Amino acid sequence: MNETTPSRIDRVMMIAGAIAVCAGFVLSLIGIPMAGGAKGLAQSYFFAFASVATLTIGFFGLTLLHHTTRARWGFPVLRIVEAGGGWRQILFVALAWIPVAFVWREALYPWSNPEVVASDPILQFKAPYLNDARWIGFSLFAFAFMAWMSYRNSLWQRKEDETGDKKWRDLRTNWSSPGLVAFFLIGNFLYTDWVMSQDPHWSSTMYGILFVVGGMLAALALTTLVFCSQTKKAPFARVTEPWLTNDLGNMLLTGTMIWAYFAFSQYLIIWSGHLPEYIPYWLRRSNNGWHWLGNTLIVTQFFIPFLLLLIPKVKRVPALLGTVAGWILLMRFLDFQYIVVPTYREQMAFQPLDLGLLMLLLGLWAINFGNSLGQSALIVDRLPKGHVQEPVTDHA
Amino acid sequence: MSHGRDTAPKPFGVVAEFLDAESLLEATRKTREAGYRAIDAFSPVPVHGLTDAIGFDDSRLSWQVFGAGLTGALAGLGLQVWTSTAVYRHLVGGKPFISLPMFFPVLYECTILFSAGAATVLMFKLNGLPKPHHPVFNAKAMDRASSDRYILCVEAEDPNYDEEALTSFFHGMGAESVESVRTSEGY
Amino acid sequence: MAETPLNEKLVEGTWTERQVDERIADIILDPSRHTEAQIKVPKFLDKLLPAQAKSPWTMMVGIGFLLVNVLLVAITYLVLTGIGIWGNNQPTGWGFDIINFVWWIGIGHAGTLISAILLLLRQRWRNSINRFAEAMTIFAVMCAGMYPLLHTGRPWVAYWLMPYPNIMGLWPQFRSPLIWDVFAVSTYFTVSLLFWYVGMVPDFATLRDRAKPGFARIAFGLLSMGWRGSAKHWHRYEHASIILAGISTPLVLSVHSIVSFDFAMSIVPGWNATIFPPYFVAGAVFAGFAMVILLAIPVRKWYRLEELITMKHFDWMAKVMLATGLVVAYGYCMELFYMWYSGSPFETSLLRNRVGLASGPYSWSFWCLILFNIVAPFPLWFPKVRKNLTALFVISIAISIGMWFERFVIIPMSLTRDYLPSAFGYYTPTFWDFAMFFGTIGFFVFMMFLFVRFLPSINMFEIKELLHQEKHDSDHQPATAEAH
């Protein structure tokens, strides 16, 4: 324990981010000619933006969840989660959103195009909701809400670290529990605005929450990956214990199952109803090659991590758990591709620009993430007592 | 009665009674260290570490239940595929004959039903229950083993079994009472 | 998922294991426990009635028994006449029967949640209420099961629902959610029964050893299967319990999801919503916890169990109610918003029917639902309310009514106003609908109090385990240790 090297995860993240930015930039340059003009660029950019935004929003949701429940597994990884969903990241997402909102809005959203609306009675009916001012206003409100909440939480966390006063902790809990309720509502409407309304005739009540839960799963996977890669280094080595990796593994398992449950329910209900309003969504995603991706994802995104996480050993060995977490994260991005992209591409095809822009944005995100991690100690000072003493009761 | 066999009660084991779980755990560890192997312990609550102390481990249940669950899943899927393609082939709502998404719920319930049934039945079977009477019940101390007494027993099949030695060994560890139990079972 | 509080005791006072047995087992073995608490009756009755008759147990079982007879009459008349005696008629093929089916099965879910999910999450506060809640599950599922069976009109051929080779060459149609329901509910009942029984086996052994020679000892002896508490047995027993809990958790989710599919798979406006499965599950847990609280408050008082079922338990249960209530509220918001957002004329007209007091015949029930399910539980945000039993009791009643209204809003409201205006109608329940409904409530109360009388209503060995753990915690941690 004494000889552990200090973790430089913040540096690692920044370097990895810089590499990703460079690679993404090159890939994007190669990809632009194949993307099909300005519209193709907008679409690829939107895919990258939606993925990064969902990851960040997922992190933000995890911080609220932690402050609400104060679950034991949350404390050692709290700093990682806070760095991923902190106000810096949220501002980054808000910046990344600007091109979507002000450059490519008309290219991405049919309801934003007056000519389309003029010939579409349903869009006219929806105009009180689907209009430019409300759409922009709501996103700005959501960014402000999230940035404000996370800023306050980290402020109170710092004050607690300085003074040791319990009142800051209770304040966080008292704000985060109603905050969590607001978060789910806001998250739902954000995804209705951003993604669902690209196909403005289609709707599903499960859709927004599916995105939010998917984002939280991605965030948890990244958290676990970062944590598991650092378990041999200070200060993480001090808190690495079988119960912790076991809990993280079980949370990933739960997240995977909840995600699968939501996704399957939505599919089953729409598929069996086969109503003309709702079925086009799945028709697009089960033809022209997209079904290959969809069917693969059933196995790779659900069955593989699910079965692996059932094995107790996987949840005890950090290297194994980290690998599974990395796999889940990768699959989350493939799933974003499957959910977001078929709306504008009939035929499934690999677009280098999608990957390039995703790497570019993710790289920038990682630099920002590493920077946030470097701002404070890597684990919270005041771990709950009994954290180390509590005997492991491995029920799994 | 006159089979010419010896039907007199045979020794079953020596039973020691303790007042709490910690003493039982301590005594069990020492008994095992002393070289005894046919040990069993009885307690009103599960005592953590006791199975390790008597040197017992059995994880067959997991695999058997997993097997049962798999059987249930295959049975559920097989039933649905067979009935809706072979013996009761009807077109419903324009859906394919093999509608896997719609077969999933029944498959799932069958998996769970089989696993739960197997977990229950196998737990009792591996434990050798139901067995209304067991020789150890002949010990007076067992009357409170389901309430607030912690019982340690070294059975007669142990190669080192020696009633007198065991009795003084148990007394030495602070047992509340020590009994030699006899059994007429097995005739 | 919440952190287990290490310092706040879940069992108040100091207890020996023997005292735990006495307090719990003697509810069964010592009849005088049932007459300890007395109910106040008017003076003229006071002298007439013997002490036995004034005990809460006799009163509850008496009321339950009366209503069971109402149920029996209602069923007899139904079977002799046909389901025409109910208010169901075109276009409302599903009326009280399905409303009550969903209501009851939802109530049952809290039992499984408490016993399975909280076991997996290592939440120790479940220990003194799990047995009770599991019993609730069994009886609630029984009540639920009666409705679809009787709704078939010919319950004596209910076995046609199961797949079996028959001379008619008929097989179930596995692409129908109603068949999924048959599998889900029967599996749920079986697994709950197994879980409940397995959980009671060590307690049956305690009862066997405590009972005086006689019928009780023989009965508990048989039920205990000769359990002797061997360490080897405990090992496999705990293993099996975890496996059962591990498979009951997804089971409980699947059961109510499948119940929600009964609606969501159809294309009736207001039913075909993708949010239905999780929102039904949350609603079920919401109603179930309300029922646990409704039953736990009086039983705790009458049988002096205050130290075992503490205010901490009520606080936790109230928090779970609050959380699930918020999920339910979220579901309502989503339903309403996307009815409008869909832009479909059928959905938007349903929205008007639901919300507009003047435009929909049943919109009053929607506002009742909002009042009982969203407004009434709101005070649960405040810790003081969560620790006030009167308030909890009232809120739990409100939630039980509210969750009933939820199903009422879903079923007749959509069925009487679906696609074709020529097929619009109105649904009025009859006397027999109410007789069945109150009959099942009576059956439930009757069974619950028989359970309290004849089976261990608190898990004795788990309470003892809790004593051990709390002792262990206090040995290893200074009493002042703070959990953060």
Side-chain angles (χ1 to χ4, degrees):
Chain A
M1 277 253 201
N2 310 331
E3 294 301 313
T4 45
T5 46
S7 164
R8 296 316 314 259
I9 182 66
D10 50 331
R11 283 277 175 81
V12 174
M13 278 322 235
M14 283 158 115
I15 294 167
I19 295 171
V21 169
C22 297
F25 187 72
V26 173
L27 204 56
S28 303
L29 283 183
I30 300 170
I32 282 179
M34 290 184 254
K39 201 158 188 172
L41 178 65
Q43 291 164 347
S44 289
Y45 182 81
F46 182 80
F47 158 70
F49 162 74
S51 309
V52 172
T54 308
L55 182 66
T56 314
I57 290 171
F59 268 115
F60 173 71
L62 281 187
T63 56
L64 294 187
L65 188 68
H66 171 79
H67 292 315
T68 303
T69 63
R70 292 185 202 157
R72 205 168 53 141
W73 59 269
F75 289 98
V77 294
L78 183 57
R79 284 281 190 250
I80 304 172
V81 177
E82 278 180 340
W87 59 271
R88 287 186 189 85
Q89 300 301 93
I90 288 160
L91 288 185
F92 170 74
V93 172
L95 284 177
W97 168 80
I98 287 173
V100 175
F102 298 105
V103 183
W104 291 315
R105 195 178 60 245
E106 251 179 73
L108 290 168
Y109 299 98
W111 51 263
S112 187
N113 187 337
E115 283 164 34
V116 176
V117 178
S119 60
D120 191 330
I122 292 183
L123 290 190
Q124 285 159 24
F125 174 80
K126 290 184 180 191
Y129 184 81
L130 291 182
N131 61 66
D132 296 345
R134 197 220 46 87
W135 189 89
I136 293 171
F138 183 75
S139 296
L140 287 176
F141 161 73
F143 289 131
F145 166 80
M146 290 191 289
W148 176 71
M149 279 294 281
S150 61
Y151 178 73
R152 297 242 288 186
N153 273 338
S154 62
L155 189 74
W156 291 334
Q157 177 80 56
R158 226 177 21 247
K159 288 211 172 137
E160 189 194 336
D161 289 350
E162 283 162 13
T163 60
D165 193 342
K166 268 198 313 184
K167 105 182 163 195
W168 303 111
R169 183 191 67 174
D170 292 337
L171 209 55
R172 282 202 309 276
T173 302
N174 291 345
W175 278 87
S176 294
S177 355
L180 199 60
V181 179
F183 165 74
F184 278 111
L185 276 174
I186 290 174
N188 172 71
F189 287 109
L190 266 188
Y191 286 104
T192 304
D193 284 3
W194 287 352
V195 200
M196 196 203 277
S197 76
Q198 293 188 341
D199 187 357
H201 286 196
W202 183 78
S203 72
S204 160
T205 40
M206 181 78 97
Y207 195 72
I209 200 76
L210 185 59
F211 253 101
V212 173
V213 167
M216 286 169 84
L217 176 60
L220 187 68
L222 183 55
T223 307
T224 310
L225 177 61
V226 169
F227 179 80
C228 286
S229 68
Q230 302 296 312
T231 47
K232 292 211 172 67
K233 304 212 170 110
F236 293 106
R238 188 159 60 87
V239 291
T240 305
E241 286 197 56
W243 71 257
L244 178 60
T245 48
N246 189 54
D247 277 8
L248 286 171
N250 281 335
M251 287 308 295
L252 279 176
L253 181 63
T254 313
T256 304
M257 289 201 292
I258 290 178
W259 177 86
Y261 166 59
F262 283 8
F264 176 70
S265 303
Q266 173 176 276
Y267 174 71
L268 185 56
I269 289 167
I270 293 175
W271 182 73
S272 83
H274 215 280
L275 285 175
E277 293 96 327
Y278 305 119
I279 198 67
Y281 179 85
W282 284 113
L283 287 183
R284 275 179 166 276
R285 280 159 186 77
S286 41
N287 285 302
N288 297 329
W290 286 111
H291 58 290
W292 288 110
L293 183 57
N295 291 343
T296 311
L297 280 170
I298 296 173
V299 178
T300 53
Q301 183 167 219
F302 176 67
F303 282 104
I304 290 179
F306 171 76
L307 291 173
L308 285 176
L309 287 170
L310 280 182
I311 304 169
K313 195 185 170 189
V314 171
K315 289 179 278 190
R316 263 199 313 270
V317 181
L320 290 177
L321 184 63
T323 314
V324 176
W327 176 262
I328 292 177
L329 187 64
L330 202 64
M331 289 308 123
R332 293 302 312 142
F333 288 116
L334 262 186
D335 188 54
F336 293 141
Q337 173 88 8
Y338 179 66
I339 294 178
V340 174
V341 177
T343 311
Y344 21 74
R345 267 180 233 148
E346 286 279 322
Q347 188 72 38
M348 193 190 87
F350 171 69
Q351 277 285 5
L353 189 58
D354 284 357
L355 185 61
L357 287 173
L358 178 64
M359 282 169 76
L360 193 71
L361 276 190
L362 263 185
L364 290 171
W365 188 91
I367 294 172
N368 198 15
F369 178 63
N371 181 36
S372 301
L373 273 175
Q375 301 286 325
S376 52
L378 285 171
I379 53 176
V380 284
D381 291 349
R382 248 168 280 277
L383 289 176
K385 286 200 180 141
H387 220 269
V388 186
Q389 290 159 352
E390 177 91 345
V392 190
T393 37
D394 187 351
H395 281 315
Chain B
M1 292 297 126
S2 54
H3 299 301
R5 280 198 286 147
D6 172 22
T7 55
K10 284 189 203 152
F12 170 75
V14 179
V15 162
E17 179 187 17
F18 296 91
L19 289 183
D20 56 50
E22 286 75 25
S23 327
L24 172 68
L25 200 55
E26 190 59 36
T28 313
R29 287 199 182 114
K30 283 185 187 157
T31 310
R32 196 165 158 79
E33 276 162 26
Y36 295 103
R37 285 297 172 267
I39 311 173
D40 203 350
F42 304 88
S43 54
V45 297
V47 177
H48 283 282
L50 197 55
T51 36
D52 294 337
I54 63 172
F56 171 81
D57 191 27
D58 184 0
S59 53
R60 278 176 293 173
L61 198 59
S62 300
W63 290 107
Q64 292 178 356
V65 170
F66 184 78
L70 208 60
T71 314
L74 291 175
L77 185 64
L79 172 72
Q80 297 181 83
V81 170
W82 177 62
T83 55
S84 36
T85 54
V87 291
Y88 200 66
R89 192 179 165 90
H90 286 255
L91 194 60
V92 179
K95 295 283 180 285
F97 291 112
I98 299 181
S99 303
L100 283 181
M102 290 181 138
F103 289 171
F104 184 73
V106 169
L107 180 156
Y108 188 86
E109 299 303 328
C110 289
T111 312
I112 286 182
L113 184 63
F114 275 57
S115 325
T120 310
V121 171
L122 291 171
M123 186 271 286
F124 284 120
K125 188 177 164 285
L126 291 171
N127 278 346
L129 297 174
K131 184 172 171 56
H133 187 77
H134 185 270
V136 78
F137 283 134
N138 291 340
K140 186 84 194 66
M142 281 300 284
D143 290 355
R144 284 178 79 168
S146 63
S147 173
D148 61 347
R149 289 294 186 268
Y150 295 80
I151 313 290
L152 180 59
C153 172
V154 173
E155 286 159 20
E157 57 200 60
D158 195 285
N160 300 329
Y161 186 76
D162 176 348
E163 269 184 24
E164 276 173 30
L166 271 168
T167 307
S168 58
F169 179 65
F170 285 153
H171 275 301
M173 288 189 299
E176 192 69 6
S177 72
V178 181
E179 298 167 65
S180 301
V181 178
R182 290 182 190 277
T183 177
S184 311
E185 211 171 68
Y187 298 111
Chain C
M1 230 150 300
E3 183 189 358
T4 315
L6 298 170
N7 308 306
E8 283 185 69
K9 283 194 156 192
L10 287 168
V11 179
E12 288 171 2
T14 45
W15 291 76
T16 64
E17 292 171 328
R18 202 71 178 163
Q19 283 166 331
V20 173
D21 289 352
E22 261 163 34
R23 185 64 64 87
I24 299 166
D26 286 0
I27 296 177
I28 305 160
L29 299 174
D30 179 6
S32 72
R33 284 292 296 279
H34 297 275
T35 50
E36 267 171 13
Q38 291 276 304
I39 286 193
K40 274 187 199 147
V41 290
K43 252 188 189 158
F44 70 96
L45 275 174
D46 202 31
K47 282 181 190 152
L48 280 170
L49 293 172
Q52 213 114 32
K54 282 179 288 183
S55 78
W57 187 81
T58 321
M59 302 278 276
M60 295 311 285
V61 169
I63 295 168
F65 185 68
L66 272 179
L67 288 171
V68 167
N69 284 293
V70 172
L71 179 67
L72 290 175
V73 172
I75 291 177
T76 312
Y77 183 53
L78 178 83
V79 168
L80 294 177
T81 318
I83 60 166
I85 64 166
W86 288 344
N88 302 23
N89 208 334
Q90 290 301 344
T92 324
W94 286 0
F96 259 40
D97 43 359
I98 304 301
I99 297 172
N100 295 340
F101 162 70
V102 181
W103 189 69
W104 274 120
I105 202 146
I107 284 172
H109 285 0
T112 322
L113 185 99
I114 291 175
S115 41
I117 300 187
L118 301 184
L119 178 66
L120 291 179
L121 293 178
R122 289 172 247 147
Q123 295 287 303
R124 291 176 195 168
W125 60 272
R126 66 182 271 287
N127 282 16
S128 49
I129 46 173
N130 60 348
R131 173 72 48 73
F132 198 74
E134 284 163 33
M136 211 184 76
T137 300
I138 306 275
F139 304 134
V141 176
M142 282 181 180
C143 291
M146 280 181 222
Y147 284 101
L149 288 185
L150 294 170
H151 188 201
T152 60
R154 289 189 285 165
W156 52 93
V157 289
Y159 62 90
W160 286 2
L161 292 165
M162 302 307 276
Y164 69 102
N166 56 70
I167 199 164
M168 301 167 283
L170 290 172
W171 288 89
Q173 203 281 90
F174 284 108
R175 280 161 286 180
S176 157
L178 301 183
I179 270 306
W180 308 346
D181 241 1
V182 173
F183 277 79
V185 175
S186 52
T187 300
Y188 187 45
F189 183 71
T190 315
V191 174
S192 304
L193 200 63
L194 289 176
F195 201 11
W196 192 49
Y197 175 69
V198 168
M200 277 194 292
V201 164
D203 283 359
F204 283 142
T206 310
L207 282 161
R208 169 199 69 199
D209 293 347
R210 275 186 80 83
K212 294 187 187 73
F215 176 74
R217 172 171 270 192
I218 294 169
F220 287 125
L222 288 173
L223 284 169
S224 73
M225 291 210 168
W227 182 261
R228 49 187 190 271
S230 157
K232 296 170 188 171
H233 292 185
W234 277 123
H235 180 74
R236 296 193 189 98
Y237 179 87
E238 288 203 297
H239 201 149
S241 301
I242 287 295
I243 292 176
L244 282 174
I247 51 190
S248 300
T249 307
L251 173 65
V252 73
L253 290 178
S254 76
V255 171
H256 224 66
S257 298
I258 288 174
V259 170
S260 83
F261 286 156
D262 290 346
F263 302 99
M265 289 288 139
S266 74
I267 50 170
V268 176
W271 289 10
N272 186 34
T274 47
I275 195 80
F276 259 34
Y279 140 70
F280 262 55
V281 171
V285 175
F286 188 45
F289 270 83
M291 189 57 89
V292 177
I293 289 181
L294 280 183
L295 289 167
I297 289 177
V299 167
R300 166 183 190 264
K301 185 159 184 282
W302 292 335
Y303 294 99
R304 289 186 290 117
L305 300 171
E306 284 93 346
E307 290 153 301
L308 295 176
I309 305 175
T310 64
M311 291 315 293
K312 188 111 196 72
H313 291 98
F314 285 105
D315 186 47
W316 273 108
M317 288 195 272
K319 278 182 185 164
V320 175
M321 281 205 308
L322 179 63
T324 47
L326 288 167
V327 178
V328 170
Y330 177 86
Y332 300 151
C333 295
M334 292 303 109
E335 269 193 301
L336 294 182
F337 176 75
Y338 289 98
M339 273 179 196
W340 177 83
Y341 180 88
S342 73
S344 143
F346 308 110
E347 297 278 340
T348 44
S349 81
L350 183 71
L351 176 66
R352 272 198 302 281
N353 273 321
R354 212 175 256 200
V355 181
L357 275 171
S359 50
Y362 295 112
S363 53
W364 57 271
S365 66
F366 174 75
W367 292 105
C368 281
L369 159 77
I370 298 294
L371 177 70
F372 289 124
N373 267 1
I374 298 183
V375 180
F378 185 78
L380 293 176
W381 279 102
F382 304 103
K384 259 191 194 153
V385 177
R386 294 199 296 263
K387 292 193 165 92
N388 181 333
L389 287 184
T390 320
L392 276 183
F393 197 79
V394 173
I395 290 173
S396 300
I397 290 180
I399 291 170
S400 301
I401 299 172
M403 285 310 292
W404 191 88
F405 270 115
E406 180 188 307
R407 283 70 186 238
F408 188 85
V409 165
I410 291 170
I411 295 172
M413 201 182 264
S414 286
L415 286 178
T416 54
R417 289 285 183 279
D418 63 1
Y419 293 96
L420 285 178
S422 61
F424 284 6
Y426 191 75
Y427 168 73
T428 324
T430 62
F431 168 79
W432 294 105
D433 280 311
F434 284 102
M436 272 290 287
F437 181 44
F438 289 110
T440 46
I441 292 179
F443 175 80
F444 181 73
V445 171
F446 183 65
M447 295 299 277
M448 277 311 287
F449 278 85
L450 285 186
F451 156 73
V452 170
R453 175 68 186 83
F454 294 112
L455 294 172
S457 42
I458 292 184
N459 195 327
M460 287 184 268
F461 84 86
E462 285 192 356
I463 289 286
K464 291 180 200 166
E465 232 185 329
L466 201 60
L467 289 177
H468 280 267
Q469 280 169 344
E470 297 208 327
K471 185 166 164 282
H472 182 265
D473 289 343
S474 59
D475 286 352
H476 286 74
Q477 285 189 315
T480 50
E482 235 319 303
H484 179 223

